[in-house]
Amino acid sequence: DGDTMVVAADWDGPVAGSGYGSVYVFTRGGATWNQQQKLVANDGAAYDHFGRSVALDGATVVVGASADDIGAFADQGSAYVYTRSGSIWTQFQKLVANDGEPQDSFGHAVALDGDTLVVGAMMDNIGANSSQGSVYVFNLPTCPPLTFAPASLPNGIILAAYQQPVTVSGGAGPYQFTISNGAPPPGISLNSSGSLLGTPTTLGSYQFTIIATDLSSGCSGSRTYTLTVTTCPVITIMPDDLPDGAMGEAYSQTLTAAGIATRYDTIASPS
């Protein structure tokens, strides 16, 4: 599909030939194809044959696992839907037949066009007709775009506490936040509610991608940020010289400070 390709390996697994299955996503840059991600089922098991069928349309991939056991129904089968945000694919939904039976092989074939998905169950019994087969049609929900705030992150100062919340709007929420494609500065981490917290220990600029997943719908979005860790700024105190005071008379002189901070605490010390 354009510059994206998916390749199934339905016998792949932690042990050779164990049949868990996987799907490899490749993207093309110029004349070269590069692996972008390896997809596996989040509940995969031996001989599920995840990858027996695949379909790709835009930023959505559907993967059939025709030998997946659903509850006590051996080989009923299932299909997994993945969506891409930026360069990251995440599992969006697992589909099963609402009237599935053992050995239906739901997921033996899949096809996708826009938000319409069809899944074949080649061994489905229809009435008295054994293994007549059937096709299930699904309408995939349309994910709204998610908006991240802030648009950019404020700099951190080395060995100074840092805290910056990242918020998302556009979906129903609540949202779960994760990091991919890079990492924040050493000493800073992202919690699941979207706050960057910690004390940076290393100077430099760090680029990473934050993914927000709407837990009510499974839709996700991402934004790439750069967080720069600097040394303490130079703060200039004015005026350079203080006017003299007169004995026995009230004295007042305002001091101002210039730098990147907006609030200062002033402590007088003898010199």
Side-chain angles (χ1 to χ4, degrees):
D1 185 69
D3 291 327
T4 303
M5 172 174 59
V6 291
V7 180
D10 71 310
W11 280 98
D12 190 21
V15 178
S18 55
Y20 280 74
S22 62
V23 169
Y24 294 81
V25 182
F26 295 86
T27 57
R28 180 170 55 190
T32 303
W33 289 89
N34 299 295
Q35 183 176 321
Q36 185 176 62
Q37 195 171 331
K38 178 179 180 179
L39 308 181
V40 295
N42 63 0
D43 60 351
Y47 305 110
D48 277 355
H49 289 289
F50 174 93
R52 177 60 58 85
S53 59
V54 293
L56 167 67
D57 187 21
T60 304
V61 167
V62 180
V63 181
S66 59
D68 188 9
D69 297 339
I70 307 301
F73 290 175
D75 298 342
Q76 176 182 325
S78 63
Y80 295 79
V81 181
Y82 292 81
T83 57
R84 178 169 56 189
S85 178
S87 60
I88 304 299
W89 293 88
T90 54
Q91 185 174 314
F92 174 73
Q93 192 173 0
K94 178 178 180 178
L95 305 175
V96 296
N98 60 5
D99 60 351
E101 296 288 342
Q103 285 81 47
D104 274 355
S105 292
F106 177 93
H108 185 82
V110 294
L112 176 65
D113 183 20
D115 60 359
T116 301
L117 164 65
V118 294
V119 182
M122 66 173 294
M123 302 297 290
D124 189 12
N125 299 328
I126 306 300
N129 298 331
S130 178
S131 303
Q132 176 178 326
S134 62
V135 170
Y136 295 77
V137 181
F138 297 86
N139 289 320
L140 299 178
T142 300
C143 289
L146 300 181
T147 301
F148 286 69
S152 60
L153 297 175
N155 291 346
I157 296 175
I158 192 167
L159 302 182
Y162 185 90
Q163 179 174 352
Q164 176 61 51
V166 175
T167 61
V168 168
S169 59
Y175 301 96
Q176 185 176 53
F177 294 81
T178 57
I179 282 182
S180 68
N181 286 357
I188 293 180
S189 60
L190 177 74
N191 64 23
S192 60
S193 61
S195 288
L196 288 159
L197 302 166
T199 301
T201 59
T202 308
L203 296 172
S205 293
Y206 300 84
Q207 188 176 80
F208 51 92
T209 299
I210 295 180
I211 298 175
T213 301
D214 187 339
L215 297 180
S216 67
S217 66
C219 294
S220 62
S222 66
R223 187 178 183 91
T224 298
Y225 285 103
T226 297
L227 202 168
T228 300
V229 178
T230 65
T231 57
C232 288
V234 175
I235 298 175
T236 303
I237 300 176
M238 296 172 288
D240 292 335
D241 298 308
L242 295 175
D244 294 335
M247 181 178 294
E249 294 183 9
Y251 183 89
S252 176
Q253 175 62 46
T254 300
L255 301 179
T256 61
I260 66 168
T262 58
R263 177 184 180 276
Y264 303 91
D265 292 320
T266 303
I267 301 175
S269 62
S271 59

